Amino acid sequence: MKILVLNSGSSSVKFQVFEDDISFVSGLIEQIGEENSAISIILRDEKVVDKQIEIKSHFDGLQIAANYLLELGVVKDLNEFDGIGHRVVHGGEYFNKAMLVTDDVIEKIESLQPLAPLHNPAHLDGIRVTKKLNPLVPNVVVFDTAFHQSIPAHAYMYALPYKFYEEDGVRKYGFHGTSHHFVAKVAARMLQKDINSLNAITLHLGNGGSVTAIENGKSIDTSMGLTPLEGLIMGTRSGDLDPAILFYLSRKKGYDINELDKILNKQSGLKGICGANDMREIHSMAESGDKKAQLALDMFYYRIKKYIGSYSAILGRVDCIVFTGGIGENDDIARLESCHNLENLGIKLNVEENALRKKVAREISSDDSLVKVFVIPTNEELEIALQTQEVVKNSR
Ligand code: AMP
């Protein structure tokens, strides 16, 4: 099946074309509506388009991309795709799996706008454009939150007045679900286990980061919450903190809500502590003796360890821990430090194997480790393509 996968942001659209589970085209439309808007396309590992061009809207951008796909012979007709899979950040409580796009689905995604004000409107723009450009192709929405809809109430509720849940939807939703689900399925295959009997802790560590506790193949808790701000220390996000810090800073410094939002989301995390948010830069700063960089790293590892410990407690039996995302896949020191001294939880790394650089899914735990530790490259676009194929097949 030929599937187009779209990830539409407010000023950019990433796209990828899959033939079954192989991607042979990927592209990026960026700075939509800005002066320096551009499009680039990679076809079978070769950059075939890299152009600054006026792109006023998502429609313009996708129209230009579609013309290139025709010109490059990726498709002969825009209706040739078997399905178009759209990444959607927030599915709220409505969606626990990928869905075929209908008017009702669009209305529900629209109604979730207050929970994802930047993302959901951009995804809807993408859907509206493909409905025009590819009118005969079914659209499918794949939600970042869907995998976490299995989390039980005692884990997703915040201890606030209950009316905020009922009236305003205040609860933990979790994110990165497509990635956690994807790597869990790969881990199950590596353990030769049915996914429905897999207990795992999956760590998606990128610029944004989250941990998920998976019991019998289902998410039962995750570190991100109502928004992606909760949980781990991230590139520029604080993760968990005492909420009273906000009242204190507001009263003492006079910050308003928008300023506090910016501070916690854009100026905190690793960047807030040491001024940098790229792990490679932070490591080299720490190596040259920058104490704040070392502190940022120590805080980062410590928070991950606390989550591994608490999720080991709620799971009881842990078959494996999975590292994924830019940091999880590439940063052997982060993996080593986050698993350091966890032998009491049955977690022991093979230090040599961990230090090797490989781009494939692999085990990095020692032979006597009770819990297997894996590094598994994530592939959210592939997961979206596979789920889209599934939904399209079932709808025929
Ligand atoms: P992502 O958001 O998944 O693309 O991940 C971005 C993060 O991965 C950034 O903090 C990068 O510094 C980090 N990263 C990428 N490559 C490496 C590497 N080789 N070593 C350490 N961190 C890396």
Side-chain angles (χ1 to χ4, degrees):
M1 286 178 102
K2 200 173 262 183
I3 302 289
L4 172 65
V5 170
L6 287 190
N7 184 352
S8 309
S10 51
S11 63
S12 69
V13 181
K14 280 192 212 159
F15 59 94
Q16 219 159 312
V17 180
F18 285 82
E19 188 82 62
D20 296 328
D21 57 353
I22 307 286
S23 163
F24 60 103
V25 179
S26 64
L28 175 66
I29 305 160
E30 48 187 339
Q31 311 284 4
I32 296 172
E34 308 280 331
E35 264 174 26
N36 49 347
S37 48
I39 179 166
S40 56
I41 299 181
I42 296 172
L43 174 65
R44 296 192 178 84
D45 295 331
E46 191 190 337
K47 200 165 227 180
V48 285
V49 177
D50 193 4
K51 204 168 174 192
Q52 280 228 346
I53 182 169
E54 186 177 27
I55 303 174
K56 287 200 202 123
S57 62
H58 285 65
F59 186 83
D60 277 2
L62 284 166
Q63 173 93 67
I64 293 167
N67 287 340
Y68 275 121
L69 294 183
L70 289 167
E71 210 173 279
L72 293 164
V74 172
V75 278
K76 290 192 195 71
D77 184 305
L78 294 181
N79 285 312
E80 191 186 309
F81 292 110
D82 295 287
I84 302 176
H86 298 262
R87 174 193 176 219
V88 176
V89 164
H90 224 301
E93 286 189 329
Y94 292 125
F95 303 107
N96 63 4
K97 59 180 192 314
M99 300 287 290
L100 203 60
V101 172
T102 60
D103 290 346
D104 178 54
V105 167
I106 289 185
E107 247 173 56
K108 288 188 167 125
I109 297 173
E110 246 163 14
S111 76
L112 292 166
Q113 208 155 301
L115 287 169
L118 294 179
H119 289 97
N120 275 18
H123 304 323
L124 287 170
D125 276 347
I127 295 169
R128 288 192 187 105
V129 174
T130 56
K131 275 169 143 269
K132 276 200 192 125
L133 289 177
N134 321 64
L136 303 179
V137 182
N139 287 281
V140 173
V141 274
V142 181
F143 301 93
D144 279 18
T145 48
F147 182 57
H148 300 303
Q149 276 298 298
S150 46
I151 295 176
H154 62 257
Y156 72 62
M157 285 299 293
Y158 293 106
L160 292 167
Y162 198 78
K163 65 176 182 183
F164 294 130
Y165 168 63
E166 287 179 311
E167 294 169 12
D168 308 296
V170 174
R171 52 159 285 178
K172 178 187 282 285
Y173 292 98
F175 299 90
H176 290 144
T178 313
S179 175
H180 289 289
H181 195 184
F182 177 81
V183 296
K185 286 193 279 188
V186 177
R189 282 201 292 276
M190 289 168 81
L191 288 166
Q192 296 182 321
K193 241 177 152 36
D194 186 314
I195 176 79
N196 295 319
S197 61
L198 178 82
N199 280 13
I201 298 172
T202 50
L203 293 137
H204 179 110
L205 308 176
N207 207 15
S210 65
V211 197
T212 297
I214 295 172
E215 186 178 60
N216 296 326
K218 297 200 162 45
S219 169
I220 60 159
D221 204 352
T222 193
S223 58
M224 284 179 168
L226 173 78
T227 76
L229 186 56
E230 190 181 347
L232 298 178
I233 293 172
M234 303 173 226
T236 61
R237 296 189 198 124
S238 63
D240 298 334
L241 44 73
D242 177 352
I245 292 170
L246 303 181
F247 323 141
Y248 175 76
L249 285 179
S250 170
R251 288 187 193 116
K252 185 146 192 289
K253 301 250 196 204
Y255 291 134
D256 66 20
I257 288 293
N258 292 329
E259 286 166 314
L260 289 169
D261 186 333
K262 196 168 162 200
I263 292 170
L264 262 61
N265 274 296
K266 306 258 184 235
Q267 299 168 358
S268 297
L270 298 168
K271 188 171 189 184
I273 296 296
C274 71
N277 64 312
D278 187 305
M279 274 303 250
R280 290 161 287 198
E281 191 183 342
I282 301 172
H283 280 301
S284 76
M285 284 160 68
E287 276 159 29
S288 8
D290 186 321
K291 291 213 162 47
K292 284 185 182 158
Q294 189 55 54
L295 173 64
L297 291 172
D298 291 341
M299 290 168 67
F300 181 82
Y301 309 142
Y302 179 74
R303 182 76 54 88
I304 294 172
K305 239 186 210 189
K306 285 216 290 196
Y307 270 95
I308 293 178
S310 63
Y311 285 179
S312 295
I314 63 168
L315 284 169
R317 187 196 87 233
V318 181
D319 301 317
C320 67
I321 289 178
V322 179
F323 284 95
T324 193
I327 299 169
E329 291 167 34
N330 297 301
D331 191 334
D332 57 305
I333 304 172
R335 293 191 299 257
L336 190 69
E337 294 294 337
S338 307
C339 292
H340 183 63
N341 266 342
L342 292 185
E343 285 85 359
N344 60 331
L345 296 178
I347 301 162
K348 213 168 153 188
L349 287 200
N350 176 330
V351 178
E352 289 78 35
E353 191 57 43
N354 176 56
L356 296 178
R357 276 190 178 273
K358 292 180 189 168
K359 287 270 169 218
V360 291
R362 64 203 172 99
E363 185 183 337
I364 54 163
S365 41
S366 68
D367 290 344
D368 58 342
S369 180
L370 295 176
V371 176
K372 300 274 182 214
V373 184
F374 297 134
V375 178
I376 300 178
T378 194
N379 194 337
E380 288 166 275
E381 291 74 19
L382 171 59
E383 181 62 28
I384 293 172
L386 295 174
Q387 291 194 24
T388 301
Q389 286 179 31
E390 198 63 29
V391 171
V392 170
K393 267 186 210 154
N394 291 339
S395 73
R396 278 178 177 167

